[in-house]
Amino acid sequence: MNRMNGYDVEDLSVGMSAPLARTITEADIVPFVGASGDNNAVQINQEFAATTPFKSCIRHGMLTASVISAAIANKLSGPGTICARARSSRRQGVPGIPSGQTVSVREMLAKKRLVWLTRACTVTGTVVITGEALVKVGSRG
Amino acid sequence: MNRMNGYDVEDLSVGMSAPLARTITEADIVPFVGASGDNNAVQINQEFAATTPFKSCIRHGMLTASVISAAIANKLSGPGTICARARSSRRQGVPGIPSGQTVSVREMLAKKRLVWLTRACTVTGTVVITGEALVKVGSRG
């Protein structure tokens, strides 16, 4: 581990996985809307959202995806990780409350200190966002 | 336009484009970190960031991507848009200050009221994030 308690390349191997179980609440949405400017009616206007197939406000996909990035920053590969490339795909609106985020090591390019991570976010077991990230980690070598 | 001043499907055509020129400032980062929990050192710890190739704190890619979603929500196709699917790719860390976001209509599936949008974010002219989104819009028909 590095001095910030994040994983060095020597600590990682393919198949390692870390969950971050964090429910996204109303209290997260207000600052996210302020920071991003994304005040889409389907996410913040209950009256409009009731006219959509979702029947109620849905969570911002980007906020949900951002919490997965938090799982990388805080869990795997943890503090000190530098994200070189990232991709995420949202498969549908998020009508429930996202509560499960998982990050796993898919591939190691150890000499370059690069690691491919896969990530997913679930709502009551259904995967709503998938993605991958290429991250650079430290080394004790 | 719909009653929230967003585009209906009848108002849209391939090639339409909308810019959102918004600089992401320090004041956006604090609430974003609070909402997402993404407190990665390279983004919030100046001392650590100085040891990386970036030499200084970089912006959260997810915050940058979220501002592009704001461009969809506020500009094209505007209020009332429901995002059915979204994908974004970050090509590198964002060392400068993201200031340009552009959304364009790539393809229309008018009968289904579905529209493929492409989106991009630039830092002083260099594209750092690209993406696409499939959105559902309203109709006057």
Side-chain angles (χ1 to χ4, degrees), chain A residues 4 22 28 32 35-40 48 62 66 69-70 73-74 80-82 84-90 119, chain B residues 4 22 28 32 35-40 48 62 66 69-70 73-74 80-81 85-90 92 119:
Chain A
M4 292 181 289
R22 183 182 152 208
D28 300 313
F32 178 78
S36 68
D38 187 354
N39 55 3
N40 194 318
F48 171 77
M62 281 294 173
S66 298
S69 284
N74 292 307
T81 300
I82 295 173
R85 201 177 306 172
R87 188 184 63 76
S88 61
S89 293
R90 183 149 35 103
R119 48 193 192 164
Chain B
M4 293 181 289
R22 184 183 151 207
D28 299 314
F32 178 78
S36 68
D38 188 353
N39 55 1
N40 193 319
F48 172 77
M62 280 293 173
S66 298
S69 283
N74 292 308
T81 300
R85 202 177 306 172
R87 191 184 61 77
S88 61
S89 294
R90 184 148 35 103
Q92 55 186 321
R119 49 193 191 164

Side-chain angles (χ1 to χ4, degrees), chain B residues 11-133:
Chain B
D11 306 312
L12 294 166
S13 58
V14 172
M16 283 177 73
S17 177
L20 174 73
R22 184 183 151 207
T23 304
I24 296 173
T25 73
E26 296 281 340
D28 299 314
I29 293 170
V30 175
F32 178 78
V33 168
S36 68
D38 188 353
N39 55 1
N40 193 319
V42 73
Q43 279 122 8
I44 63 165
N45 179 340
Q46 189 60 47
E47 202 169 309
F48 172 77
T51 69
T52 71
F54 305 113
K55 304 293 181 204
S56 183
C57 283
I58 60 174
R59 298 298 188 239
H60 292 80
M62 280 293 173
L63 173 55
T64 312
S66 298
V67 175
I68 311 180
S69 283
I72 294 176
N74 292 308
K75 294 271 190 161
L76 187 70
S77 38
T81 300
I82 294 173
C83 194
R85 202 177 306 172
R87 191 184 61 77
S88 61
S89 294
R90 184 148 35 103
R91 299 194 69 79
Q92 55 186 321
V94 181
I97 298 177
S99 293
Q101 299 83 25
T102 305
V103 178
S104 307
V105 176
R106 190 187 71 195
E107 188 181 345
M108 301 276 305
L109 306 163
K111 281 185 185 172
K112 293 183 176 176
R113 296 189 286 128
L114 291 169
V115 181
W116 277 105
L117 301 171
T118 56
R119 49 193 191 164
C121 177
T122 57
V123 175
T124 56
T126 301
V127 174
V128 291
I129 295 182
T130 59
E132 58 183 8

Side-chain angles (χ1 to χ4, degrees), chain A residues 27-51:
Chain A
D28 300 313
I29 294 171
V30 175
F32 178 78
V33 168
S36 68
D38 187 354
N39 55 3
N40 194 318
V42 74
Q43 278 121 9
I44 63 164
N45 180 339
Q46 189 60 47
E47 203 169 309
F48 171 77
T51 70

